[in-house]
């Protein structure tokens, strides 16, 4: 093991790429793999390829962020990137089988992945020292978290499974999104009890809502949007609470988003035939 570590250090010294260049290289390789998955026409091979892409994303991201990774950061920094790749790859299968639509999605995936890598790198550095870009990184990271959650939720609901299965799956991916988002406020090597408790509580809320909404006669896109708005509002308020900036005006702003989306969902609900 010691020999392997020495060889790794020697090899690493020969790498002359900057961190941004490494991120670009990682983004290029993962985008290429994403596009190659669409050349597979056999249905049952596609989903193992998504798992493979997610695994490569985790390893590649760990390589790019390897300098300061420690403790819970192996989860909170790398899992969001992994989920992002899996979400886009699964959403890719829902698109028409035309490169005219898939190439722009691949481009947007590359832009999002590169931005996500930069965001997680800022978190990684900010865990050890103060950095000016932290506030902007939190905004970008939160936006990409909501996008990833929407795509994964939409994919799960598109299978039109039983409400209990939807609840279990969406509850699980909810926690995988909520926990890193809340941790990004504290940026500690070990997550605090408040982060753990709040993330579990919000996970249960979203799992129960997904169960209820799965039985509503509304389009899956609207259900996914509604759940994403709940995630946005609840996690947003939780982040403000953890940073001790949760005011009445902030609560009204977050809750109003849920109310607007819920009213839109009511308008798209097909009540006939119930």
């Amino acid at each position: 093991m010691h020999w392997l570590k020495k060889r790794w250090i020697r090899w690493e010294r020969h790498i002359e790429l900057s961190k941004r260049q490494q991120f670009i290289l990682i983004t290029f390789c993962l985008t290429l793999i994403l596009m190659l998955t669409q050349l597979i026409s056999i249905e049952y091979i596609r989903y193992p390829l998504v798992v493979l892409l997610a695994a490569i994303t985790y390893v590649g991201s760990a390589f790019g962020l390897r300098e300061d990774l420690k403790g819970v950061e192996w989860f909170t920094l790398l899992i969001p990137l992994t989920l992002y790749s899996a979400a886009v790859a699964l959403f890719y299968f829902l698109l028409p089988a035309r490169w005219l639509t898939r190439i722009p999605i691949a481009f947007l995936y590359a832009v999002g992945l590169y931005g996500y890598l930069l965001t997680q790198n800022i978190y990684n550095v900010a865990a050890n020292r103060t950095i000016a870009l932290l506030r902007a990184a939190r905004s970008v990271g939160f936006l990409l978290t909501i996008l990833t959650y929407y795509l994964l939720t939409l994919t799960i609901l598109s299978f039109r499974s039983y409400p209990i299965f939807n609840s279990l799956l969406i509850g699980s991916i909810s926690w995988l999104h909520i926990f890193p988002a809340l941790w990004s406020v504290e940026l500690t090597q070990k997550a605090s009890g408040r982060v753990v408790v709040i993330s579990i509580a919000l996970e249960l809320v979203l799992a129960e809502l997904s169960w209820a909404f799965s039985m509503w006669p509304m389009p899956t896109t609207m259900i996914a949007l509604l759940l994403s708005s709940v995630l946005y509002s609840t996690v947003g308020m939780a982040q403000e609470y953890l940073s001790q900036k949760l005011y009445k005006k902030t609560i009204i702003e977050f809750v109003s988003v849920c109310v607007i989306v819920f009213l839109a969902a009511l308008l798209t609900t097909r009540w006939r035939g119930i």
Side-chain angles (χ1 to χ4, degrees):
M1 192 70 181
H2 180 68
W3 172 82
L4 183 62
K5 186 176 181 180
K6 289 177 64 177
R7 290 294 297 271
W8 170 266
I9 293 174
R10 288 179 184 176
W11 180 78
E12 192 176 28
R13 287 174 181 172
H14 287 84
I15 299 178
E16 298 180 356
L17 296 177
S18 67
K19 183 165 287 189
R20 285 180 178 269
Q21 290 173 330
Q22 292 179 41
F23 289 165
I24 292 174
L25 180 60
I26 293 169
T27 300
F28 175 79
C29 293
L30 291 174
T31 304
L32 183 61
I33 295 173
L34 174 70
M35 297 179 69
L36 289 176
T37 60
Q38 305 311 304
L39 300 177
I40 304 297
S41 58
I42 304 175
E43 190 69 25
Y44 65 87
I45 296 182
R46 286 185 169 185
Y47 294 104
L49 285 176
V50 173
V51 176
L52 179 62
L53 175 63
I56 295 175
T57 301
Y58 184 92
V59 175
S61 302
F63 175 79
L65 301 169
R66 64 192 179 279
E67 293 181 2
D68 299 311
L69 276 178
K70 61 187 72 172
V72 75
E73 293 175 359
W74 286 92
F75 180 88
T76 54
L77 293 180
L78 303 181
I79 289 299
L81 290 161
T82 305
L83 292 174
Y84 174 77
S85 286
V88 176
L90 290 170
F91 179 70
Y92 229 44
F93 296 151
L94 302 179
L95 296 174
R98 294 180 299 177
W99 287 107
L100 185 62
T101 56
R102 286 174 171 171
I103 289 179
I105 295 298
F107 174 76
L108 293 176
Y109 164 78
V111 173
L113 181 63
Y114 180 72
Y116 226 152
L117 284 167
L118 291 177
T119 297
Q120 302 303 78
N121 182 58
I122 292 174
Y123 289 162
N124 199 13
V125 175
N128 299 315
R129 62 180 184 271
T130 304
I131 186 169
L133 295 174
L134 181 58
R135 185 172 182 179
R138 283 175 177 159
S139 299
V140 174
F142 192 35
L143 176 63
L144 290 171
T145 295
I146 301 301
L147 174 62
T148 304
Y149 184 77
Y150 173 79
L151 295 178
L152 283 176
T153 304
L154 180 61
T155 302
I156 292 172
L157 293 173
S158 66
F159 287 103
R160 301 188 181 278
S161 184
Y162 294 105
I164 182 63
F165 293 143
N166 291 340
S167 178
L168 292 173
L169 287 174
I170 293 177
S172 299
I173 67 167
S174 296
W175 185 82
L176 292 175
H177 286 80
I178 295 169
F179 182 75
L182 297 184
W183 171 86
S184 67
V185 178
E186 298 183 344
L187 296 176
T188 53
Q189 292 186 23
K190 184 178 180 180
S192 66
R194 294 191 304 171
V195 170
V196 174
V197 172
I198 294 174
S199 61
I200 293 175
L202 296 184
E203 171 202 0
L204 294 175
V205 170
L206 284 160
E208 292 173 358
L209 287 176
S210 64
W211 189 341
F213 293 153
S214 295
M215 295 182 285
W216 277 34
M218 70 173 72
T220 56
T221 52
M222 184 54 68
I223 297 176
L225 181 61
L226 188 53
L227 290 172
S228 299
S229 68
V230 174
L231 182 80
Y232 167 79
S233 298
T234 54
V235 174
M237 287 188 288
Q239 287 180 329
E240 296 298 325
Y241 168 76
L242 291 172
S243 60
Q244 299 181 347
K245 297 179 181 178
L246 184 60
Y247 305 113
K248 182 178 179 181
K249 180 181 179 180
T250 307
I251 296 175
I252 294 175
E253 290 176 353
F254 279 116
V255 172
S256 63
V257 172
C258 281
V259 172
I260 293 172
V261 177
F262 181 74
L263 292 176
L266 289 178
L267 295 176
T268 59
T269 301
R270 300 181 295 269
W271 297 109
R272 294 184 179 182
I274 301 180

